[in-house]
Amino acid sequence: MKMTTKYIALPEGVSEQQFDQAIAEFRRVLGDEHVLIKPEELAPNMKIMLPVDTSQHTPSAAILPKSVEQVQEIVAICNRYKVPVWPVSTGRNLGYGSAAPATRGQVVLDMRLMNRILEVDADLCTALVEPGVTYQQLHDYIREHDLPLWLSCPAPSAIAGPVGNSLDRGVGYTPYGEHFLFQCGMEVVMPDGDVLRTGMGSMSNSNTWQVFKWGYGPSLDGIFTQSNYGIVTKMGMWLMPAPPAFKPFLIRYPDEVDIDKIVETLRPLRIAMIIPNAVVIAHTLWEAGAFVRRSDFYQGKGSISEEAVGEIRKTHNLGAWNVYAGLYGSPEQIEVNWNIIKGAVEASGGELLTEEQVGDSPTFRYRRDLMRGDMNLQEFGLYNWRGGGGSLWFAPVSQARGSETLKQMDLAKRILGKYGFDYVGEFIVGWRDMHHVIDLLYDRTNPEETSKANACFRELIDEFAAQGYGMYRTNTAFMDKVADTYGPVKRKVNQVLKRALDPNGIIAPGKSGIYV
């Protein structure tokens, strides 16, 4: 590890003198106040919840551009001095690595000052935004201008942003919840400084950039998701027209093994779009973890006992599985689909509840807000479940089959239990797939527990991959390991693209396991 007195870290292969010159040029372009090198200034870019040493993800500096032209100049400087940059939009992706770079010494390219809402078209239901725009900001804009539009946002909605979430292929909870699917058109600063506009945006004076995804020739938007091939500086997105009516509902099931029949009941309704939004199937501990402390119900060693989980269910009126979905459209449409759903749920043994029947429930309010695109931060309450600031999101994909979800739950509980951790999980039903999201919560202030969390996460990746289950996202500490599960050909093709587009490897080396 290089020793330096001026910087808390140096980029790999860059001397302090060379970095001095790069910093001087960054300051020329951005101004002194937008080039940060002091440890106290860089604290937000060093906070991680991962079970590894913070030094592995320590940045050398952070820089804050305000325009695409400044990003172009930054790229030129980085190429000149071989300085790598790690782009972030809001940097609030806490369970996946926050705003810290994947490898030590990268300069964090913090784009929060590029926060303009460039256009919102209420007729075509489109928006064009910069990376620093948050969901809260866009939500407020829609409200202030009284536009008949709804957002789709992820669970930690208010402080996250649509560009960062879509580029990491995150999800939301309205019918527009597959966020990359509803992205349309990007502006990307390439590693050589060129500005690419994807889709119809490649034409000069195009007026269809946000309405037609494909343009002409190969569609390129996808290569800029979960990658390090360019820096996205603008993104188009499709917004949902506000429906005339909305009916959220809850289905409770009493036993963990019910997950099999839950999925078998809901899959045909989801594929047929009778239920139009992503269905959330949340385990007891996921629901309770947002407002209950583990120590109030269990003080023993190892994973929480089944008796304690049962007591939480009883105390807070939760099911073993708590299923949330909604109906959108005219009252007449909703009534028809409601009757279909009611018959299917009753046949499966579930308890179907409307908003009026649920009453004043904080968990239901939280889910209802997400399903109508309103801002909420309740999910961050999970970090109080165990305490200690440790969180790892494990997110394998499953077929939407009951047998597969039961198998995944059993496998996860066995591995988590081996290391003394709790199963805090939920399934999110897309159409034919399910995202199985597990939050491995641990005490990062406890070295033994941190070491166990690292080993547990590694075993989860290995065991799930051996069963054919791939992760759809991961945190910055385990990107290489997850990339390996997708095989050598995928890694080779990713590397070929990287070498062709970014021969100096200046953009986010290590992102998704991709290097020059």
Side-chain angles (χ1 to χ4, degrees):
M1 186 179 297
K2 294 181 176 68
M3 298 302 294
T4 175
T5 56
K6 192 179 300 181
Y7 307 104
I8 59 173
L10 282 174
E12 182 68 27
V14 177
S15 70
E16 186 167 317
Q17 183 180 14
Q18 290 170 323
F19 198 52
D20 284 342
Q21 294 172 321
I23 290 293
E25 294 207 35
F26 290 146
R27 285 177 168 153
R28 174 183 56 78
V29 173
L30 304 175
D32 290 350
E33 70 275 22
H34 296 141
V35 179
L36 312 179
I37 63 170
K38 296 177 181 177
E40 61 270 23
E41 296 174 326
L42 295 173
N45 304 112
M46 293 167 31
K47 179 176 174 54
I48 59 172
M49 306 182 80
L50 310 176
V52 295
D53 195 289
T54 303
S55 64
Q56 296 180 28
H57 300 277
T58 299
S60 53
I63 54 179
L64 289 79
K66 287 185 174 181
S67 67
V68 64
E69 291 80 14
Q70 287 186 344
V71 174
Q72 288 179 282
E73 290 191 74
I74 287 167
V75 165
I77 296 166
C78 289
N79 274 303
R80 191 151 51 245
Y81 296 101
K82 307 299 188 291
V83 170
V85 289
W86 180 264
V88 299
S89 52
T90 65
R92 302 307 177 93
N93 202 349
L94 302 185
Y96 289 119
S98 310
T103 60
R104 180 179 175 81
Q106 295 191 47
V107 173
V108 175
L109 180 62
D110 186 334
M111 292 190 282
R112 70 183 123 129
L113 299 182
M114 296 178 66
N115 61 358
R116 293 180 301 161
I117 298 169
L118 299 165
E119 182 181 13
V120 177
D121 189 315
D123 296 323
L124 296 171
C125 305
T126 65
L128 180 65
V129 299
E130 290 185 327
V133 172
T134 64
Y135 283 104
Q136 182 72 61
Q137 182 183 349
L138 187 54
H139 181 270
D140 291 347
Y141 180 96
I142 290 169
R143 289 287 180 88
E144 288 165 8
H145 292 80
D146 196 26
L147 302 177
L149 300 169
W150 279 14
L151 283 179
S152 174
C153 55
S157 48
I159 58 177
V163 174
N165 185 264
S166 298
L167 293 181
D168 214 27
R169 299 202 290 271
V171 297
Y173 303 89
T174 75
Y176 279 45
E178 191 65 64
H179 290 163
F180 178 54
L181 182 65
F182 291 94
Q183 169 273 329
C184 188
M186 294 179 187
E187 178 185 86
V188 188
V189 175
M190 300 301 293
D192 64 358
D194 283 349
V195 176
L196 168 69
R197 289 191 169 186
T198 65
M200 302 302 290
S202 292
M203 294 184 65
S204 59
N205 299 318
S206 171
N207 63 6
T208 52
W209 191 20
Q210 271 69 68
V211 297
F212 184 66
K213 292 171 72 78
W214 314 119
Y216 176 74
S219 178
L220 300 176
D221 297 67
I223 71 167
F224 300 110
T225 66
Q226 293 189 2
S227 79
N228 50 15
Y229 301 141
I231 300 168
V232 176
T233 50
K234 294 181 181 67
M235 188 190 80
M237 53 192 296
W238 294 339
L239 304 176
M240 178 178 164
F246 166 55
K247 184 169 186 172
F249 58 91
L250 163 67
I251 315 168
R252 283 197 293 243
Y253 288 84
D255 299 312
E256 282 190 348
V257 293
D258 288 338
I259 188 66
D260 190 333
K261 62 183 177 184
I262 294 170
V263 176
E264 291 303 311
T265 299
L266 297 179
R267 181 189 62 245
L269 302 176
R270 182 71 184 96
I271 291 176
M273 296 295 285
I274 291 169
I275 298 177
N277 69 322
V279 177
V280 172
I281 307 171
H283 185 266
T284 302
L285 296 188
W286 188 283
E287 291 299 90
F291 59 90
V292 170
R293 288 183 180 272
R294 184 181 195 264
S295 58
D296 291 340
F297 289 87
Y298 186 71
Q299 293 84 35
K301 294 183 178 180
S303 304
I304 190 169
S305 68
E306 292 300 324
E307 292 76 17
V309 175
E311 186 62 27
I312 291 172
R313 285 181 196 143
K314 181 179 177 182
T315 302
H316 294 284
N317 196 26
L318 296 168
W321 296 103
N322 306 272
V323 182
Y324 299 92
L327 296 177
Y328 306 75
S330 69
E332 294 81 9
Q333 288 173 312
I334 287 176
E335 184 64 23
V336 170
N337 287 338
W338 178 254
N339 289 329
I340 296 171
I341 293 165
K342 184 177 180 181
V345 170
E346 288 176 351
S348 72
E351 180 188 13
L352 179 62
L353 300 166
T354 64
E355 183 173 9
E356 293 74 23
Q357 290 170 320
V358 172
D360 187 27
S361 162
T363 53
F364 188 86
R365 286 200 308 272
Y366 163 60
R367 297 295 181 179
R368 177 203 63 199
D369 288 351
L370 289 177
M371 289 189 287
R372 66 185 183 193
D374 285 344
M375 300 298 100
N376 201 304
L377 293 175
Q378 182 173 316
E379 190 163 278
F380 284 124
L382 282 171
Y383 296 145
N384 297 320
W385 166 248
R386 197 164 190 138
S391 172
L392 288 161
W393 294 79
F394 182 68
V397 176
S398 166
Q399 294 180 359
R401 295 185 192 274
S403 58
E404 289 293 292
T405 49
L406 187 59
K407 183 179 173 183
Q408 280 205 7
M409 181 193 68
D410 288 343
L411 181 59
K413 289 188 73 173
R414 176 177 63 78
I415 297 169
L416 290 162
K418 174 180 173 181
Y419 294 92
F421 298 118
D422 306 326
Y423 176 76
V424 181
E426 65 178 359
F427 290 92
I428 303 172
V429 187
W431 276 310
R432 294 156 180 83
D433 71 281
M434 304 183 75
H435 294 170
H436 185 188
V437 182
I438 300 166
D439 198 351
L440 198 172
L441 297 163
Y442 69 99
D443 183 355
R444 195 169 184 268
T445 67
N446 183 324
E448 181 183 1
E449 203 163 295
T450 299
S451 177
K452 286 183 178 180
N454 188 304
C456 181
F457 201 80
R458 289 180 177 278
E459 187 167 339
L460 284 167
I461 294 170
D462 289 340
E463 290 296 316
F464 271 71
Q467 299 292 328
Y469 301 126
M471 295 176 68
Y472 89 101
R473 298 167 81 179
T474 196
N475 60 72
T476 47
F478 292 89
M479 286 182 168
D480 285 358
K481 187 169 181 60
V482 171
D484 281 340
T485 67
Y486 281 82
V489 175
K490 177 78 159 51
R491 294 204 76 170
K492 177 184 175 183
V493 171
N494 287 345
Q495 186 180 54
V496 168
L497 288 172
K498 182 67 171 173
R499 288 176 173 174
L501 295 172
D502 185 12
N504 290 324
I506 63 164
I507 299 178
K511 172 71 175 175
S512 297
I514 303 170
Y515 303 86
V516 171

